[in-house]
Amino acid sequence: MAVLPSLATVADLAMLLGRSFTPEQEQQAQALLDQASSVVRAYIRQDITRATTTDAFTLRRVDPLRYGCVGAVTLPQRPVEEVTLVEVDGVATADWWLDGSELLVRGWSWDLPPAAHQPPRVAVTYTHGWDPVPGDIQAIVMQAANRVLVNPRQIRSEAVGGESVTYLIPATGEALGVLLSKVEMRVLDRYRRTSGTIRVRSG
């Protein structure tokens, strides 16, 4: 699987902070941005950046009288910009349409092999994601990376005079690293992929 690019660049982070980085600091900043990008992608379950993907799905049977089609698949990467190829059990078809992230197949025989033995498999080539990356996602990636960059020891407070140091670690004793705050999660929730149902427009 191709490595996904960071959702923000070192130059973006430097501009946000109003500073320049040494070569060593640039490497550290890039590593943190990569980590923060992975954390954000894992949370919202999206690649986010614009790409073209071919995925295979099992066609889901739906009520043709209600939906005007025999089956559907949910395309997981969003937003869906364009679908360039649909194949049902290896046969290319143009008898489909999109409703948001739902690809609806108008007609297919479920009573003949191989559909009679198992649901048809649908291969879809589609373009998805954002270009450019939404500003709020990019800002959260930079914030998450910067928290570690400016506080690598993850210290919340460090008193002098022999008093103990308080670290930003949970009760388990594991360092937090690059993680999201609850506020950042709430912002990202609008992009998060969740289970849904078919929404078919009439007409």
Side-chain angles (χ1 to χ4, degrees):
M1 185 175 67
V3 177
L4 295 172
S6 292
L7 297 171
T9 67
V10 174
D12 294 330
L13 183 58
M15 182 175 296
L16 174 70
L17 300 177
R19 56 170 291 191
S20 59
F21 295 120
T22 66
E24 181 179 343
Q25 289 170 334
E26 285 184 356
Q27 292 181 358
Q28 181 187 20
Q30 184 62 65
L32 292 171
L33 289 170
D34 290 342
Q35 291 177 28
S37 298
S38 296
V39 168
V40 168
R41 286 186 167 111
Y43 180 74
I44 69 173
R45 304 170 191 158
Q46 296 288 312
D47 290 349
I48 301 173
T49 45
R50 181 70 54 83
T52 299
T53 302
T54 298
D55 280 334
F57 311 90
T58 298
L59 189 65
R60 185 174 73 250
R61 188 191 291 265
V62 297
D63 182 353
L65 296 179
R66 181 178 180 185
Y67 296 109
C69 63
V70 298
V73 297
T74 302
L75 302 179
Q77 295 298 325
R78 304 167 188 172
V80 177
E81 291 295 319
E82 181 184 20
V83 174
T84 55
L85 179 64
V86 177
E87 294 180 331
V88 182
D89 282 336
V91 179
T93 179
D95 198 16
W96 57 267
W97 75 96
L98 275 176
D99 181 62
S101 60
E102 296 287 342
L103 186 138
L104 307 166
V105 179
R106 188 181 304 279
W108 195 261
S109 175
W110 292 75
D111 301 323
L112 299 175
H117 306 297
Q118 60 183 7
R121 292 289 288 172
V122 182
V124 183
T125 300
Y126 67 111
T127 301
H128 52 82
W130 289 270
D131 184 19
V133 174
D136 48 358
I137 293 179
Q138 189 178 66
I140 287 172
V141 167
M142 290 190 289
Q143 288 169 185
N146 187 53
R147 283 196 292 270
V148 180
L149 186 66
V150 300
N151 190 10
R153 295 177 62 195
Q154 302 185 54
I155 297 176
R156 184 170 64 241
S157 61
E158 185 172 19
V160 295
E163 295 186 12
S164 61
V165 176
T166 302
Y167 292 90
L168 285 172
I169 55 177
T172 58
E174 298 177 359
L176 288 174
V178 179
L179 293 179
L180 300 172
S181 70
K182 291 183 179 180
V183 172
E184 290 165 344
M185 289 180 182
R186 286 198 293 269
V187 173
L188 292 173
D189 280 344
R190 65 187 292 252
Y191 299 102
R192 197 175 191 201
R193 188 175 80 220
T194 57
S195 297
T197 56
I198 288 183
R199 303 181 313 278
V200 180
R201 292 185 294 268
S202 61

